[in-house]
Amino acid sequence: MLLGRPGCLDLVDDGIDDDEALRRVGQGEAELLVDELHRSFGDLGRCFRRDSHDASYRCVIIGGCASLRAMRLNATPPLLAALASAVFAAHPANAAEPRPTLALVGGQVIDGYEGPPLRDGVVLIAGDRIVAVGPKSEVAVPPGTTIIDTEGMSVLPGLMDMHVHLMILGHADYEHWDKTYMPRFRDLIMPIAAKQLLMSGITTARELGAPLEDILDVKRRIEKGEIPGPRLYVSGPFIQRAPYADYEKTFRWGVGGPEDARAKVQKLVDAGVDVIKLIDQDQLTEEEVGAVVETAHKGGKPVVAHAHREDEIRMGLRHGVDCFEHTGLATEPAYPDDILAGIRKRNNTLYWCPTIEGLFLADYTARTFPERLDDPAWQKDIPRDIAADIRRSLQNPTALDYFTLTFRRLPTLANKFRQLRETGVTLLVGTDSGIPANFHTDSTWRELYTWVQLGMTPMQAIAGATRWPARFLKKEKDLGTLAPGRLADVVAVRGDVLTHIDLLQRVDVVVKNGLRVK
């Protein structure tokens, strides 16, 4: 070891005992500094990199002395751990380098990149950001850091549901629900839905259809930490030809001509929405749809659109819609060739949110296990009278108008899902959570489970709820994966989700923005 100027320790292979050097660092007699590229203590593991010329050495980058240089250190895992501990101990109050505040230690870490899981891993967090991810042998957890024991668990990025509706809680009669509870959407209904999603492991959600001021208020309150809920990306009202009924006009904005379409989309952009939701676009003119998409894109907002009917899809493809919603075409057995060709042409940039679990769930609820309607889990935090109202509305699921064609659609779904996958379009996990009997407490895991039942691997399904939603939102540097610098959204569930994806129905640990909320 070589001591440089006073207070700075450079490590080189010069014969001085490593234990003595580490003792000096630990006691504050000398200081070990890292260079500007590796300023974060939590990312210290990145300072120890295997030298390509000599597998027995690792590179330690030292900075802060007279010159910046890379020194080689013959470093065994125990020495690396001791060295890292010494560094943390030597910098107890450096405000520029936040100390780790939380660590998830143990279990298999699934980082969202679809590679092999990291065994016996550690996710180290400082404040609201991840600072290190790696095996326990390489990531040192500083003394005093709060530790969550995740041995025997699967640790993965917080889940992202790209199609939810916070203003509904599973009630089957929309007219009754809206007329009765709309005045309570902002202060009661939406916060209940948001909390249910967060407690189910959803740390980010795309909310696609709600009264504008209500949903923006809930979004802001969640951001301020006033109420629990996932990070929200919202559309506000639907853009469509006209509201289906007068009582819906606060969350369904009709357009009459291209200029009106531009004005209404611009109003949403100016209000602060994150995405524009377009439905029934086959009932609009080419000029109106063009105006919607052009105005949204000029304002930096993507457009998501319904895909229930052939001409809805064709219209959306012609005008550059960014993401389609639902596995549609009712009882048609397959998507037509021209639509598949249009999707393939844009498969590198187009997204599709199948929302397929709710269709299978309707059949499961009505014909296999209606007992789930009496499960207290979905009723948690809902006032007793409202929960009873929801339950009464679901008394006879097979007779509900909402499900008129659902049971006949089931035989067509596997083929349509396969067709979408084969086009190469990027699929996003979304659920239509909140529609009749599709409760916020158990919708998202069912979508992943359904994808696996239809042929995806669990890892691919997890990426559809983590990495790819983040990319759609253009937030891949903050969300969707477990890596240094990402926001610390992490969930953990006991057991192996890569074998049993349905274990996600019981998420044990939820961390959002570096804080454990469950």
Side-chain angles (χ1 to χ4, degrees), residues 35 37-39 43-61 70-75 80 83 138 484:
D35 69 72
L37 185 62
H38 303 88
R39 289 179 62 88
D43 203 23
L44 192 64
R46 289 177 175 262
C47 298
F48 305 112
R49 295 189 176 181
R50 189 168 299 281
D51 188 304
S52 61
H53 302 294
D54 185 347
S56 68
Y57 281 77
R58 293 198 178 204
C59 179
V60 181
I61 300 175
M71 306 298 182
R72 290 205 314 171
L73 171 69
N74 189 8
L80 288 174
L83 181 60
E138 295 182 15

Side-chain angles (χ1 to χ4, degrees), residues 317-335:
L317 287 171
R318 283 198 297 274
H319 290 278
V321 160
D322 301 283
C323 183
F324 285 101
E325 307 297 304
H326 310 303
T327 304
L329 276 58
T331 57
E332 288 186 51
Y335 289 102

